[in-house]
Amino acid sequence: MNLYAKLQDRGHPVRVGLIGAGKFGAMFLNQVQTTPGLQVAAIADLDPARAKAAMAHVGWAEVDMAEVALLDDGQALCAWADIEVVVDATGSPAAGIRHARAAIANGKHIVMVNVEADVLAGPLLAAEARDAGVVYSMAYGDQPAMTAELVDWARSCGFGVVCAGKGTKYRPGYHQSTPETVWDNIGLGGVTTETARRDGLNAQMFNSFVDGTKSAIEMAAIANACDLTAPVAGLSFPPCGTHDLPHVLRPRADGGMLEAKGMVEVVSCDERDGRAVHNHLQFGVYVVIEGMNDYAALCFQQYGVTRDSTGRYAALWRPFHMIGLELNISILNAALRGEATGSARAFNADVMATAKTDLAKGQTLDGEGGYTVYGKIAPASASLAAGALPLGLAHNVTLKNPIKQGEQVRWADVDIDETLDAVQTRRAMEQRFGRA
């Protein structure tokens, strides 16, 4: 609770390098303008003109833009001498791995907005960062880091963590959503296929939120950072408002839906028939906790804590997250305290590429949010035992075998280049952390 004071007392600014000038990056660039002591030294984007346009869009003056180096190479940015913290906001697993390792090699802290890369190889990258004496961190403002904060709060207070996760919009059939159907499903007011194309919205990126992939990725990141477990059959997306969190998300033995204590789950803001859930948590995060004795349960009652019928399970939540507007928290924690706002510590959960429809031999997979596969969370041990292809590697690879709708794509089902850095990194992570 003293980051701002530390920043002002520091005497010189924290200087940041940003890789990726999309929506998240633009939101961060907006906040830099109103945070004394925080500066952007360089921005890397495949299209440097887009980086300049992002700064202009959020109100940067020409004189301030002139002081920022614009590059088209993220690895070159990681070697920039006048940078302490690198932020990867690319969304590409392969690029994220390259940038994380380049930052670590150059003695920079790395904040990974890129949850896709974190789920593919985060435990290994985090370990490499620790060995090098730098910070590898989740990005505050994104739901995984904010959930990890709630989990840390709970455990530091002496509560048991029963379940943690976020809310989203979910209905049956969403796993088959494609970039062609996404605007009908996502529920953004007034957005149609035509207006989305006109406004340059990335249908495949938005579709990853609808088809369940992003939820699976984010829950796997939380499980790996917080030592929680993934549901054996994947996420259930139960309709649940904040008032019902400790009632629904408790063990089956106590009347809830969980296989066991200590899990991740995503709650839906819609009932299965499309009606809105009362007190829904569409944009928020939560933790369900357990009072470990009768006195703690009594205190829950006395202080108006939202609890279940037994009085032992309770919930705390945050109703929204502000994405890149809150990224400063991760950057300042890394630079000023040498701490991460959540970081992979184990390989508990994985995200498997799963067929959206019947796929034919010779068909090319198009990755996250596309037409061919979605991501399904599983315990890492189950994913490894099945030989499942990680969702982060299911892009631009060709099938050697047909796959039925709903089945997992396996490593053995695709023609994949084992010499690729992302593939080798994943293999190394499995060897070091795997439990198959």
Side-chain angles (χ1 to χ4, degrees), residues 136-153:
Y136 173 95
S137 178
M138 290 176 171
Y140 199 85
D142 230 353
Q143 286 162 306
M146 303 187 80
T147 306
E149 179 182 47
L150 290 177
V151 170
D152 185 65
W153 165 85

Side-chain angles (χ1 to χ4, degrees), residues 40 107 120 128 146 250 300 326 334 360 374 389:
V40 174
L120 186 63
E128 291 175 355
M146 303 187 80
R250 56 183 177 171
F300 288 166
E326 301 182 79
Y374 71 93
L389 180 71

Side-chain angles (χ1 to χ4, degrees), residues 172-191:
Y174 272 16
H175 290 314
Q176 284 70 55
S177 180
T178 72
E180 286 297 320
T181 63
V182 61
W183 306 119
D184 294 328
N185 291 332
I186 202 168
L188 291 178
V191 178

